[in-house]
Amino acid sequence: VFQNHEEDDRKVRRREKNRVAAQRSRKKQTQKADKLHEEYESLEQENTSLKREIGKLTDEMKHLSEVLKDHEKICPLLHCTMNFVTVPRPDALTSCLPR
């Protein structure tokens, strides 16, 4: 009878220990899932921000390409018959500079 009671106590302690360990494990798993979700949300926000920045930079690149194309049409340095000369003419250079 005493041995049965001792075994029962051991089983109860083991079950309680197992229950506590299972709770700890579930809590740890939940915390890990929460952390991953927060990281996911943060990366989504960063991704959205970077996509916006890409859009702005693409627009700026298109604008600057157009400005360059328009400038190339009127640039005296590009139309100079002596453009193989390494020293540019000062008057041609100043006419290309923005005012």
Side-chain angles (χ1 to χ4, degrees):
V1 175
F2 182 71
Q3 198 172 1
N4 271 348
H5 183 65
E6 208 173 278
E7 281 181 34
D8 288 345
D9 282 351
R10 216 178 303 142
K11 283 181 184 178
V12 168
R13 283 193 305 266
R14 195 173 64 227
R15 282 185 188 143
E16 178 63 19
K17 191 175 177 181
N18 187 48
R19 185 183 65 77
V20 170
Q23 281 179 328
R24 246 191 339 259
S25 176
R26 284 191 293 271
K27 184 177 180 182
K28 190 175 177 181
Q29 224 175 353
T30 301
Q31 288 172 337
K32 187 176 179 181
D34 289 346
K35 185 178 178 182
L36 283 173
H37 184 71
E38 287 174 16
E39 188 177 343
Y40 168 82
E41 291 293 328
S42 174
L43 289 171
E44 280 292 321
Q45 288 177 357
E46 184 180 0
N47 191 31
T48 301
S49 175
L50 289 171
K51 284 180 179 180
R52 237 183 274 124
E53 187 176 351
I54 287 170
K56 288 177 184 178
L57 291 171
T58 301
D59 290 345
E60 183 180 3
M61 184 179 72
K62 287 176 186 175
H63 170 72
L64 292 173
S65 292
E66 286 297 316
V67 169
L68 178 62
K69 193 169 30 169
D70 290 345
H71 177 76
E72 285 174 341
K73 293 175 188 173
I74 61 168
C75 181
L77 291 178
L78 293 175
H79 300 292
C80 178
T81 56
M82 305 259 308
N83 60 3
F84 58 87
V85 177
T86 56
V87 179
R89 297 185 331 248
D91 60 325
L93 266 184
T94 55
S95 67
C96 285
L97 295 176
R99 290 175 174 75

